[in-house]
Amino acid sequence: MTTMQSAVATNGHAAVTRASLRRGALPLRRRAMDILSKVLMSISLLVAIVPLILVIFYVIQKGAGLLSWDFLTEDIVASPRRTGGGMGPAVAGTLLITGIASLIAIPLGLLGAIYLNEYGRNNALARFIRVMADVMTGVPSIVMALFIYIAVVLTMREKTGLAASLALAALMLPVVLRSSEEMLKLVPDELRQASAALGSRRWKTTLSVVLPAAISGITSGVMLAIARAAGETTPIVVCAGIAYGISWDPMVEQTALPAQIFVNAALPFAPAVERAWGAALTLMIIVLVFTIAARVVASRFAIKNR
Amino acid sequence: MTQSRTLTQKDRGRINDRAFWLLCVTAGVAVLGILAAILVSTIQQSWPALSNAGANGFFTSTGWDPNVGKYGILAFMFGTVVVSLIAVLFAVPVSIGIALFLTELAHRRVKAVVVTLIDLLASVPSVVFGLWGLYVFSSWTKPLYEWLHDTLGGIPVIGALFGSVTGLNFMTAGLILAVMIIPIITSITREVFDTVPAADKQAAWALGATKWEMIRGAVLPHSFGGIVGAVMLGLGRAMGETVAVALVIGAAIQVTPNLFAPGYTIPAAIVNLFGESSGEFTAALIGMGVVLFVLTIAINLLAQVVVRRAEIRMKGAVA
């Protein structure tokens, strides 16, 4: 505040003689502070970007040598000391587990979002659900994994791919719900009114007018949620068990890429660590493809704001 | 005839409408159901460990030996707090810097690129950060830690923080976590900065303020509440982060002021030990899960109250 008052004073004074609004007219200390702040902002940006680049660089450098069609499709070797083998069961498991989780979480999250934005709006229940969904977003994945372990694995008496899917679905649900709601909120009310004026009911308006208008934003949010879910490790470790061969049956034990990275990284054998890097590269490719696709979908088909 | 047909159509429409509403409400309420189910089922399963927590020193003892039935989780709680505090301490200034860069400094094109990069950072799976931290980052930081130990280790009181260096330690875990929570703190802080009224900024410009003076005089005071909320959300994330920490913290059950010593956190312990546990041991691990759940929920709720209150005040300022 004092600097601003002094700014007024110097400017007022300058106006009497000759107004100089050039940068050079500023006192050195103020100019230095300004430049310093800009430098610090740029440095903080670098502090975040450099690790990202380094992580991507090392994953490619250490994983690229292993990546091949065989690595993606072959069974996992039973002894971690041995070289060779692939990540086939983990790739299949990641696709299967994440796929089933998406099939559960996306419809549920979308319907919930429709309730919040089209029906509940600002009533007490909708506001409560909103707060709780935000809280649920913050629930650590390990807690969600323990919950599904208790609720599903203990009752079925075995670890299954399905159990891991349910845990991932529970983690995805609040993300899908809140991001879809934000997109529904962007749909102009005139569209709803026009549809209502033509005599359609609420459900018809929602399904045939509101949803199509918001679908690109919703898709982008959903894809980001899928990318996050594909990288979740703890639900797989706690609920899915282990597998060495490819199986597409969700009712048996499964494995997935994040779990393989986690388990192999902690082993003291060089071939296992190498496989961890290979699996990391595979997982990164899957996640990045989804993330970038989400960006493209969002920007290409964005709703024009009124 | 025609009248009755239109009536049935109308009825069917109404039934469809009610059915669709019911479907949507059910989906919305599912969120509440899942949260309640988590709380009930985890507490129920961990009851053997939690019910005599006072007598066993569940919360107050560092003694942890499942073989003889000793379950004191103090060292794990200590590790969780230390690691998340390190993470927040490093992530907050960086995140605020990036958010300011995005809202006040960057051109539109640069902004789009930076936002994409931060999104990418957010989407890197935590296990990949853990792998990188274990095999790359920790070997880089070791010489730095040793230098810090040599130069600062001798100072009384503060020196205790910079004790002898072990390869995997609190500091490495905290730094990795910091990188992981930067995106979330940045995105919330940026939203808060975006709500600063243009009139406040223009007033600062009109008084002849430089960009930094405008930020200090108009943007930061206006955003304080929102930033506090963002920091708390970041803290909640850091506390719950599991696999990256599990890989780089070194798995040692101890309470020590030395930041360069190995430690353990609650989530890391659960994911590492759960597979080999049974009976009371499992109950104790799930009890640790309950502690983590309650802590993160409390922090998240508090953060939301803070953010929301700050939002209301900001809207008041606009009107």
Side-chain angles (χ1 to χ4, degrees):
Chain A
M1 278 300 137
T2 47
T3 47
M4 262 179 224
Q5 281 159 4
S6 68
V8 176
T10 45
N11 273 2
H13 174 70
V16 179
T17 52
R18 194 202 291 164
S20 169
L21 295 173
R22 280 180 305 125
R23 211 164 272 270
L26 278 175
L28 191 65
R29 212 176 58 83
R30 292 178 58 199
R31 219 169 0 140
M33 273 304 286
D34 193 41
I35 293 169
L36 180 70
S37 72
K38 285 175 186 170
V39 169
L40 284 179
M41 283 178 219
S42 311
I43 288 178
S44 56
L45 183 64
L46 283 183
V47 168
I49 303 297
V50 167
L52 172 69
I53 293 169
L54 287 174
V55 167
I56 294 177
F57 172 77
Y58 274 93
V59 167
I60 293 174
Q61 193 209 26
K62 302 206 171 198
L66 244 73
L67 204 61
S68 66
W69 182 248
D70 288 346
F71 182 77
L72 294 179
T73 51
E74 266 176 32
D75 285 356
I76 297 168
V77 288
S79 160
R81 288 160 211 263
R82 289 220 312 270
T83 51
M87 280 289 149
V91 175
T94 293
L95 296 179
L96 180 77
I97 292 171
T98 317
I100 294 177
S102 311
L103 285 182
I104 300 167
I106 294 168
L108 210 55
L110 200 49
L111 285 172
I114 291 173
Y115 170 71
L116 289 186
N117 197 58
E118 306 297 316
Y119 291 97
R121 296 262 161 169
N122 259 329
N123 71 19
L125 179 62
R127 269 183 315 194
F128 188 55
I129 291 176
R130 246 173 237 132
V131 172
M132 283 304 147
D134 285 347
V135 168
M136 198 170 162
T137 316
V139 172
S141 61
I142 185 78
V143 172
M144 212 60 101
L146 285 180
F147 161 60
I148 296 294
Y149 182 85
I150 294 163
V152 180
V153 177
L154 284 186
T155 32
M156 299 201 331
R157 287 165 193 287
E158 57 179 345
K159 295 181 179 182
T160 56
L162 181 68
S165 299
L166 288 171
L168 286 191
L171 286 168
M172 285 172 76
L173 176 63
V175 182
V176 173
L177 182 85
R178 291 293 270 147
S179 73
S180 304
E181 195 207 347
E182 290 302 317
M183 291 307 137
L184 291 177
K185 224 187 259 171
L186 289 180
V187 176
D189 253 345
E190 283 86 340
L191 286 183
R192 296 187 184 85
Q193 288 159 1
S195 172
L198 290 173
S200 356
R201 285 188 174 273
R202 203 60 160 298
W203 69 274
K204 188 124 207 203
T205 303
T206 306
L207 289 184
S208 58
V209 175
V210 180
L211 268 189
I215 199 69
S216 72
I218 291 174
T219 313
S220 137
V222 161
M223 285 169 99
L224 279 181
I226 296 176
R228 292 286 156 81
E232 284 290 351
T233 312
T234 42
I236 316 288
V237 173
V238 173
C239 301
I242 23 172
Y244 294 99
I246 296 181
S247 151
W248 295 97
D249 181 1
M251 301 310 287
V252 300
E253 290 202 16
Q254 289 278 0
T255 189
L257 288 167
Q260 285 298 323
I261 301 169
F262 180 60
V263 172
N264 280 306
L267 290 171
F269 313 118
V273 176
E274 227 167 76
R275 274 192 290 273
W277 284 105
L281 179 57
T282 316
L283 181 63
M284 284 289 278
I285 291 172
I286 294 177
V287 167
L288 289 191
V289 163
F290 268 93
T291 311
I292 292 168
R295 282 244 133 215
V296 171
V297 169
S299 60
R300 193 59 61 82
F301 307 102
I303 311 178
K304 299 275 180 294
N305 278 344
R306 279 179 294 171
Chain B
M1 278 266 288
T2 44
Q3 199 183 12
S4 76
R5 216 179 68 199
T6 51
L7 263 179
T8 52
Q9 241 174 19
K10 209 172 182 180
D11 285 345
R12 208 182 302 143
R14 195 174 298 144
I15 289 167
N16 278 342
D17 228 16
R18 292 308 285 179
F20 188 65
W21 173 83
L22 195 68
L23 203 62
C24 293
V25 174
T26 317
V29 171
V31 170
L32 308 181
I34 293 172
L35 274 178
I38 295 173
L39 198 60
V40 171
S41 67
T42 48
I43 288 181
Q44 192 193 6
Q45 283 294 321
S46 61
W47 198 242
L50 290 180
S51 56
N52 41 17
N56 293 351
F58 188 69
F59 295 106
T60 51
S61 156
T62 57
W64 174 270
D65 190 354
N67 294 324
V68 296
K70 266 168 68 183
Y71 302 105
I73 66 164
L74 190 64
F76 300 105
M77 293 202 285
F78 172 80
T80 310
V81 171
V82 169
V83 168
S84 354
L85 284 184
I86 295 174
V88 167
L89 204 66
F90 281 92
V92 167
V94 173
S95 306
I96 292 177
I98 299 173
L100 284 177
F101 179 89
L102 284 171
T103 49
E104 309 299 339
L105 215 57
H107 291 283
R108 204 161 45 86
R109 285 229 186 97
V110 178
K111 198 170 164 175
V113 173
V114 171
V115 169
T116 309
L117 284 174
I118 301 292
D119 275 2
L120 276 184
L121 188 64
S123 67
V124 174
S126 72
V127 69
V128 175
F129 273 118
L131 182 68
W132 179 75
L134 179 59
Y135 288 102
V136 182
F137 187 65
S138 62
S139 58
W140 289 348
T141 50
K142 203 165 179 219
L144 177 69
Y145 294 161
E146 267 156 7
W147 178 77
L148 282 171
H149 169 62
D150 290 342
T151 44
L152 300 173
I155 305 170
V157 187
I158 308 173
L161 293 175
F162 307 100
S164 59
V165 180
T166 313
L168 300 173
N169 51 48
F170 289 116
M171 197 67 190
T172 307
L175 289 177
I176 297 264
L177 266 187
V179 175
M180 295 176 65
I181 61 173
I182 283 174
I184 173 127
I185 303 184
T186 303
S187 76
I188 299 169
T189 316
R190 192 160 71 93
E191 272 170 37
V192 174
F193 288 159
D194 274 336
T195 61
V196 175
D200 286 19
K201 291 187 188 179
Q202 283 156 5
W205 293 132
L207 290 172
T210 61
K211 189 156 265 178
W212 167 242
E213 286 160 356
M214 186 278 287
I215 290 170
R216 221 187 53 176
V219 177
L220 291 183
H222 194 86
S223 316
F224 184 73
I227 294 175
V228 171
V231 171
M232 290 170 73
L233 283 178
L235 186 67
R237 278 302 149 84
M239 291 178 87
E241 187 44 59
T242 311
V243 280
V245 177
L247 284 172
V248 296
I249 191 138
I253 304 160
Q254 58 174 339
V255 176
T256 163
N258 181 5
L259 298 179
F260 302 146
Y264 229 147
T265 66
I266 290 179
I270 300 174
V271 78
N272 276 342
L273 305 173
F274 198 72
E276 60 198 60
S277 68
S278 63
E280 205 187 6
F281 188 6
T282 308
L285 288 177
I286 295 175
M288 283 161 77
V290 173
V291 172
L292 188 65
F293 184 52
V294 171
L295 272 180
T296 47
I297 284 214
I299 289 178
N300 270 291
L301 275 177
L302 206 62
Q304 280 191 42
V305 171
V306 171
V307 171
R308 212 141 288 181
R309 204 174 267 175
E311 254 171 23
I312 290 169
R313 217 189 43 215
M314 279 179 241
K315 275 176 192 148
V318 175

